[in-house]
Amino acid sequence: MLAGGWARMRRYGLWSGAPAVVAGAAGWAALADNKQGWTVVAAAVAGAVGAFCPTVADRVAARRERRLAAAARKADVVVKPVSVTWLLRPDQRVVPFFGRGWLLAELQTWATDQGVDVAAVRLLTGAGGVGKTRLAQELEQRLAGWRCEWISPHEEEQTARLVAAGEFPLRSLLVIDYAEARDRAGLAQLLCAVQTADRVRIVLLARTAGLWWETLSMAFSQQAALVDSLTSANDVVVHVAARVDDVHDPATIVAEAVTAFASRLGRPVPELAGAPGWPADTPVLRLHADALVTVLEGAHRQGRYDVLVEVLKHESRYWMHTARRSRLLGEVDDPANAVLLEQVAGIAALLGAESAAEVEQVVRRVPLLAGAEDDRLARFGSWLAGLYPRGEAGLGVVQPDLLAETLAARVIDRCGPVDRARVFADLTVAQAVRALTVLGRARIHYAGADALIDAALGVDVACMAEAVVHVGVQFPGVFTSRMVDRLASAEVDHRWACEVAGRVPYPSLELRWLALELTSRIVAGFPADAPKTDRAHWATWHALRLAEVGRRAEALTAIQEAVDLRRELTALNRDAYLPDLAMSVNNLAADLAEAGRRAEALTASQEAVDLRRELTALNRDAYLPDLAMSVNNHAVQLADAGRRAEALTAIQEAVDLYRELTALNRDAYLPNLATSVNNHALRLADAGRRAEALTASQEAVDLRRELTALNRDAYLPDLAMSVNNHALRLAEAGRRAEALTASQEAVDLRRELTALNRDAYLPDLAMSVNNHALRLADAGRRAEALTASQEAVDLYRKLTALNRDAYLPNLATSVNNHALRLADAGRRAEALTASQEAVDLRRELTALNRDAYLPDLAMSVNNHALRLAEAGRRAEALTAIQEAVDLYRKLTALNRDAYLPNLATSVNNHALRLADAGRRAEALTASQEAVDLRRELTALNRDVYLPNLAASLWNVGFVALEVDSVTSEVIALTAEGVGYFETLAAAEPEAFAERHQAAVETLTRLQHALDANEPTNT
């Protein structure tokens, strides 16, 4: 509900208790301090005993509010509650507010800042009991002239609409307590509405700013970018520490609270002499609770004790007093009565209730009331309904929440397995959500809470699974894995599984395994006559969930099934099912590519583009974004297939389409444009158009810097990727110093990301460190390059230990590169060991998936031949390079465009090894073949392959010197290579000047050898 001064925006739900507690209701009303929903006077309670009253008209609510305010002003005494916990509630303000001056000043400055770029939200986080609610109340008091509204649960979306409609005036402050437990979509919508409103601010209170906050944008895709900009802004999250300031230490806080509680209760102030010291980070609520217990007992308790438990012991006297007044217990002083009342109050705190019927069900769950007659249960229900003022979620329970959590956990902890099952069986989803929320919060301060969670999840798996969908993100790592284990062995209704699976957000780091368990049960449980539309729908989702957890082979099988089904449906009704078919085919292409089935991936990718061109021709506005995405993906597949010219054409089209879309809606499509420009730079580099590639790469970095300035958390990973790629482009252009600077920035950015989320970004950091080692090597900083390379290997070893299937390919790559760095450092034995490991790892991968990893094996075998040669093991080196040539010949036979460059390189190296072995004729033949292959490549793309042709021509001369076979033809070929290097060095001196000079020196030696007609071995 919306609480505050606007009667037309407020509604009150009235709930009464039994006649026996009517006399106390006036006291609650006087003390409630405008607490939402509890404005009931004695007459109102008596008029609706044991029932939830209907909503009252706005004008009646306004009259009632004025009447109560007048009554409060006339009161000359304070009606003291019998409940001692009531004195600890923040809205009672028994202890005057103190400390946190700097924080309040910052919040006031923020609230009154009229700047257009100010984030309109602040999230105050802190452990239970540190004083977040009291701080927000104090802020409300200090904002003179402001309207302040505390937003009740389930009112987020309605409030968002009111804000958007301008119903809130200038200088309005909204407060949401327990923001992490609110409806995510409604909360995100409200944040967006407040951000775009004029002078409206919102304060959120939560115990943590964890996964629920970081992923909030996923719940509101309509304005996800705006939500991301708010949740990731540096100054939005404000941590409220336990220690309020440097002046108020725990002893001072307890002493002042003792005085305040003694005054309120009319008792003498007890001495605190001999009281033990309290840790500096003790939450204020615990200190106040300690002070309250001290006043109640007349002296500070000695020894070890849980102060919250001691408060609850005192509160039990209130329960006993009201129960006797209600004639629930009789005259006999039976110790079991205290346990019974504790069970009733504790189970109520655990489950809550939103109606009279639910209150009755709460009472029926109490173990000590098992088998009680209906009349007795009804009287306990009436007693419970009047025990505390009604809360935001219905039934009033013991407060503050830290006490409620402790009470609930203690009660369930003392129950046996049968009694626990009685408590948790047949709950509503709302009650299950509350129960798990209470237990999840209790984990922080109650040692046995994990065992209680296990018990709760095992009673009613279906209901609890639905609850976990709601609360899982609030408590990462607590509920989801437990629920997956239980679902795996539970009987699951198929329709229920479909309904629940549809509610699990995608993607979801926390809930992904739960989603997969549900989709697995769904696809396996379809009857033979199930509609194809349903089967196709869930096969698609099953594929997404499988891919989400890294089970790519199974994902491929599932998406293929979805495609087959949707082909059948499209054949029957093309207009209706063509969009779904296009989507499934697009996903199939991605999964095929992940599996290394490149030819099939390319075919599927082309089909997805064709289907979306057809759709775009029918409705350009609706399907242009999908077409742009598919064209972008198709460019990637073309590049993987070695069809570089076509890939470049495709990515250019994707860039053009995204520029068109960005012109229409920059906020929506700028991230996609940045991605396509980033990919365009890669394709330009593949085509040898280095200057253009560098320009495109710079644009991608600039676009992502713009996005990161708006939302650092959301786009920093993309910026890091683009900077990483830009370093490669700079290196290719011979701008080594700039490349090294960019590479260092990429590493720094990914270290920052890894510090925030190690699991998510450690793989990216490992990749950037691996690349940085290359840049350091290019700069001649070999020792640093070796250190970086070793770090990359170490990181990938850790990742591989966690998930061998996922990271073994990366480990193989980093070990392969580390062998190069060890060789550069002259540590040949270690280099050879590393090189052998890289070969072994890639043989293992190739045995698992030959199509995907054979190219990498060929590369590592080629490099291993170099290491063997350096170690003087010439025969083994020759065997290895022969294997590399053979592998590349097989690959080239399958896809000449993709692998001809690699074959040319391995043949070139083969010539050198043959020369080392003294096999002159074969060495010269191989060197000539390398030249011929690279002439073929240069004829196709001169910009890309001219440097390689120049190198092979130069290599002909080098081999001739090695085998003492210098001829005029060799000199002519070498001179041709020198000429090419001269041209390249003139255009890009940093990249080619050194090689040009070395080639000139080889040509000079050849001429001298021919002129001298003397042996030329060196």
Side-chain angles (χ1 to χ4, degrees):
M1 294 182 186
L2 304 181
W6 301 316
R8 64 190 178 84
M9 299 165 77
R10 298 183 57 177
R11 294 181 179 177
Y12 296 87
L14 305 185
W15 186 12
S16 65
V21 296
V22 167
W28 284 124
L31 288 166
D33 203 18
N34 199 34
K35 185 67 177 177
Q36 297 150 243
W38 187 255
T39 57
V40 189
V41 293
V45 175
V49 173
F52 285 80
C53 294
T55 301
V56 183
D58 290 343
R59 61 180 180 275
V60 177
R63 273 202 309 273
R64 180 185 298 108
E65 187 172 13
R66 290 193 297 270
R67 187 169 65 250
L68 290 173
R73 286 194 298 270
K74 292 178 181 178
D76 56 2
V77 296
V78 176
V79 181
K80 298 179 177 62
V82 180
S83 166
V84 297
T85 62
W86 194 255
L87 299 173
L88 293 171
R89 289 174 59 98
D91 54 9
Q92 292 309 295
R93 299 178 173 88
V94 175
V95 181
F97 186 86
F98 58 91
R100 305 208 190 276
W102 65 270
L103 182 50
L104 277 168
E106 282 191 354
L107 290 171
Q108 287 179 267
T109 300
W110 157 73
T112 56
D113 190 341
Q114 300 184 39
V116 295
D117 296 328
V118 176
V121 59
R122 286 295 183 270
L123 171 61
L124 306 185
T125 66
V130 299
K132 301 183 295 296
T133 302
R134 186 69 188 277
L135 177 63
Q137 291 172 347
E138 186 67 18
L139 176 63
E140 174 184 348
Q141 294 295 315
R142 296 193 183 192
L143 290 176
W146 282 63
R147 287 287 192 183
C148 297
E149 294 290 329
W150 289 68
I151 310 303
S152 296
H154 313 302
E155 295 292 343
E156 299 85 10
E157 185 176 345
Q158 176 192 354
T159 307
R161 289 196 296 268
L162 291 170
V163 172
E167 296 289 339
F168 284 78
L170 298 178
R171 299 196 302 171
S172 293
L173 177 69
L174 311 181
V175 184
I176 292 186
D177 204 355
Y178 284 115
E180 71 269 42
R182 298 301 184 97
D183 173 67
R184 288 164 58 77
L187 180 61
Q189 183 179 350
L190 179 54
L191 295 186
C192 292
V194 169
Q195 184 62 28
T196 54
D198 188 10
R199 300 288 302 282
V200 178
R201 297 287 187 262
I202 185 168
V203 170
L204 310 178
L205 309 179
R207 294 198 180 178
T208 63
L211 194 62
W212 74 271
W213 179 247
E214 297 163 4
T215 61
L216 188 61
S217 63
M218 293 180 183
F220 194 57
S221 59
Q222 298 93 317
Q223 292 182 282
L226 178 55
V227 177
D228 277 335
S229 69
L230 295 173
T231 57
S232 61
N234 291 330
D235 53 354
V236 164
V237 179
V238 179
H239 179 65
V240 181
R243 185 163 187 175
V244 296
D245 57 28
D246 294 333
V247 176
H248 292 82
D249 61 8
T252 302
I253 294 172
V254 172
E256 293 179 356
V258 163
T259 301
F261 286 128
S263 175
R264 185 65 174 264
L265 293 171
R267 298 193 180 195
V269 177
E271 293 290 335
L272 289 174
W278 295 268
D281 60 350
T282 303
V284 174
L285 175 61
R286 287 186 176 273
L287 297 174
H288 283 184
D290 211 348
L292 178 58
V293 170
T294 299
V295 172
L296 292 171
E297 298 184 356
H300 194 275
R301 181 182 287 262
Q302 302 298 311
R304 295 174 60 86
Y305 59 94
D306 185 333
V307 68
L308 299 182
V309 173
E310 296 306 313
V311 170
L312 289 171
K313 289 179 181 177
H314 283 279
E315 185 71 359
S316 68
R317 295 169 185 152
Y318 164 62
W319 302 334
M320 186 71 70
H321 173 69
T322 55
R324 282 175 175 163
R325 288 179 60 186
S326 301
R327 302 183 184 279
L328 293 177
L329 304 178
E331 300 299 328
V332 179
D333 190 9
D334 185 351
N337 288 335
V339 179
L340 168 60
L341 297 178
E342 183 184 48
Q343 285 188 352
V344 176
I347 293 172
L350 178 72
L351 302 180
E354 296 182 356
S355 67
E358 287 188 2
V359 173
E360 178 186 348
Q361 288 301 316
V362 166
V363 173
R364 289 185 181 278
R365 295 176 189 280
V366 174
L368 289 178
L369 288 177
E373 295 179 354
D374 289 346
D375 177 65
R376 189 179 188 213
L377 294 174
R379 287 189 291 117
F380 266 96
S382 296
W383 171 78
L384 179 59
L387 192 60
Y388 296 105
R390 186 176 184 226
E392 289 182 343
L395 176 69
V397 299
V398 65
Q399 290 290 303
D401 286 324
L402 214 59
L403 283 168
E405 293 156 15
T406 300
L407 174 60
R410 277 170 55 84
V411 167
I412 302 303
D413 203 6
R414 293 177 176 182
C415 291
V418 174
D419 289 339
R420 288 179 184 175
R422 179 185 181 87
V423 173
F424 290 115
D426 301 319
L427 297 176
T428 66
V429 174
Q431 288 175 319
V433 167
R434 178 183 172 91
L436 294 185
T437 301
V438 169
L439 294 176
R441 291 170 181 166
R443 290 180 71 250
I444 305 301
H445 56 87
Y446 192 86
D450 277 313
L452 304 183
I453 289 171
D454 288 330
L457 293 178
V459 174
D460 186 345
V461 172
C463 179
M464 288 297 174
E466 293 188 57
V468 169
V469 172
H470 290 278
V471 304
V473 176
Q474 292 180 49
F475 303 97
V478 176
F479 294 113
T480 306
S481 60
R482 290 177 162 107
M483 180 48 64
V484 171
D485 291 341
R486 283 158 181 77
L487 273 177
S489 57
E491 292 186 9
V492 172
D493 178 76
H494 193 266
R495 179 174 295 180
W496 171 87
C498 292
E499 291 175 356
V500 177
R503 298 185 205 133
V504 182
Y506 175 83
S508 175
L509 185 64
E510 175 62 23
L511 299 173
R512 54 185 175 166
W513 287 102
L514 175 60
L516 177 58
E517 180 61 32
L518 289 168
T519 59
S520 298
R521 304 295 287 272
I522 291 167
V523 297
F526 273 120
D529 59 348
K532 290 180 180 178
T533 52
D534 293 346
R535 290 166 54 201
H537 173 81
W538 286 111
T540 299
W541 273 107
H542 190 47
L544 290 172
R545 295 304 188 180
L546 285 163
E548 192 177 18
V549 302
R551 290 163 58 175
R552 301 190 182 279
E554 295 167 87
L556 182 56
T557 301
I559 193 60
Q560 184 64 66
E561 180 185 359
V563 168
D564 294 342
L565 289 167
R566 283 177 167 161
R567 287 197 197 284
E568 295 177 27
L569 290 165
T570 304
L572 297 173
N573 188 336
R574 190 168 184 85
D575 291 342
Y577 297 110
L578 190 62
D580 293 332
L581 175 60
M583 179 187 69
S584 291
V585 172
N586 185 83
N587 293 352
L588 175 63
D591 288 341
L592 285 165
E594 289 286 349
R597 293 161 61 174
R598 294 179 177 177
E600 296 166 90
L602 183 59
T603 300
S605 178
Q606 180 65 63
E607 182 183 2
V609 170
D610 294 341
L611 293 174
R612 282 176 163 164
R613 286 198 197 282
E614 180 180 343
L615 289 164
T616 303
L618 297 171
N619 188 334
R620 186 172 179 84
D621 291 341
Y623 295 110
L624 190 62
D626 294 331
L627 174 61
M629 179 185 68
S630 285
V631 171
N632 183 85
N633 295 346
H634 188 50
V636 175
Q637 307 310 335
L638 286 164
D640 287 344
R643 293 161 61 174
R644 295 180 175 179
E646 295 168 88
L648 183 57
T649 300
I651 194 59
Q652 181 65 65
E653 180 185 2
V655 169
D656 294 342
L657 291 174
Y658 277 125
R659 289 198 195 280
E660 178 182 343
L661 289 164
T662 303
L664 296 172
N665 189 334
R666 186 172 180 84
D667 290 342
Y669 294 109
L670 189 62
N672 305 101
L673 175 61
T675 297
S676 63
V677 170
N678 183 84
N679 293 347
H680 191 210
L682 298 176
R683 303 291 77 80
L684 286 165
D686 288 343
R689 293 160 62 175
R690 294 179 179 174
E692 295 168 90
L694 189 58
T695 300
S697 178
Q698 183 65 63
E699 181 185 2
V701 170
D702 293 343
L703 290 173
R704 281 174 165 165
R705 287 198 195 281
E706 177 183 345
L707 289 163
T708 303
L710 296 172
N711 188 337
R712 185 171 181 84
D713 284 353
Y715 296 110
L716 190 62
D718 295 329
L719 174 61
M721 179 183 70
S722 285
V723 171
N724 183 85
N725 293 347
H726 191 51
L728 298 177
R729 304 289 80 79
L730 288 163
E732 290 168 353
R735 293 160 61 174
R736 293 180 178 176
E738 294 169 88
L740 185 59
T741 300
S743 179
Q744 182 66 62
E745 181 185 3
V747 170
D748 293 342
L749 291 174
R750 282 174 164 165
R751 288 198 195 283
E752 177 183 344
L753 289 163
T754 303
L756 296 172
N757 190 332
R758 186 172 178 84
D759 290 343
Y761 296 111
L762 190 62
D764 295 329
L765 173 62
M767 180 185 71
S768 283
V769 171
N770 184 81
N771 293 346
H772 190 51
L774 299 176
R775 302 290 75 79
L776 287 164
D778 289 343
R781 294 160 60 173
R782 293 182 175 179
E784 295 168 86
L786 184 58
T787 300
S789 179
Q790 182 66 63
E791 180 185 2
V793 170
D794 293 342
L795 290 174
Y796 278 126
R797 288 198 195 283
K798 291 178 182 178
L799 289 164
T800 303
L802 295 173
N803 190 333
R804 188 170 179 85
D805 291 342
Y807 296 109
L808 190 62
N810 305 101
L811 175 61
T813 298
S814 64
V815 170
N816 182 86
N817 293 347
H818 191 51
L820 299 177
R821 302 290 74 80
L822 287 164
D824 288 343
R827 294 160 60 173
R828 293 182 175 178
E830 294 168 87
L832 184 59
T833 300
S835 178
Q836 182 65 63
E837 181 185 3
V839 170
D840 294 341
L841 291 174
R842 282 175 163 165
R843 288 198 195 282
E844 178 182 345
L845 288 163
T846 303
L848 296 172
N849 190 332
R850 186 172 179 86
D851 291 342
Y853 297 110
L854 190 62
D856 296 329
L857 173 61
M859 180 184 70
S860 285
V861 171
N862 181 86
N863 293 347
H864 189 51
L866 297 176
R867 304 289 79 81
L868 287 164
E870 290 168 352
R873 293 160 62 173
R874 294 183 175 181
E876 295 169 87
L878 185 57
T879 300
I881 193 61
Q882 182 66 63
E883 180 185 3
V885 170
D886 293 342
L887 291 174
Y888 277 127
R889 289 198 194 281
K890 291 178 182 178
L891 289 164
T892 304
L894 296 172
N895 189 334
R896 189 169 181 86
D897 290 341
Y899 297 109
L900 190 62
N902 306 100
L903 174 60
T905 298
S906 63
V907 169
N908 189 80
N909 293 344
H910 191 209
L912 296 174
R913 301 291 75 80
L914 287 165
D916 288 342
R919 292 161 63 173
R920 298 180 179 183
E922 294 169 90
L924 290 173
T925 299
S927 66
Q928 183 61 60
E929 182 186 2
V931 168
D932 294 341
L933 292 173
R934 283 175 165 166
R935 285 196 194 282
E936 178 182 344
L937 289 164
T938 304
L940 295 172
N941 192 328
R942 186 174 180 84
D943 290 339
V944 172
Y945 296 111
L946 186 62
N948 302 115
L949 175 59
S952 284
L953 290 166
W954 173 23
N955 196 54
V956 169
F958 185 83
V959 168
L961 288 169
E962 286 290 308
V963 299
D964 194 18
S965 297
V966 178
T967 64
S968 57
E969 182 181 3
V970 167
I971 290 177
L973 291 171
T974 307
E976 181 185 356
V978 169
Y980 293 145
F981 275 129
E982 183 177 5
T983 300
L984 291 165
E988 299 179 64
E990 291 183 83
F992 295 106
E994 291 182 10
R995 281 189 277 179
H996 174 238
Q997 183 58 42
V1000 168
E1001 292 175 2
T1002 298
L1003 179 60
T1004 300
R1005 291 177 61 203
L1006 288 167
Q1007 290 171 333
H1008 288 165
L1010 186 62
D1011 291 343
N1013 193 22
E1014 60 185 17
T1016 56
N1017 285 332
T1018 59

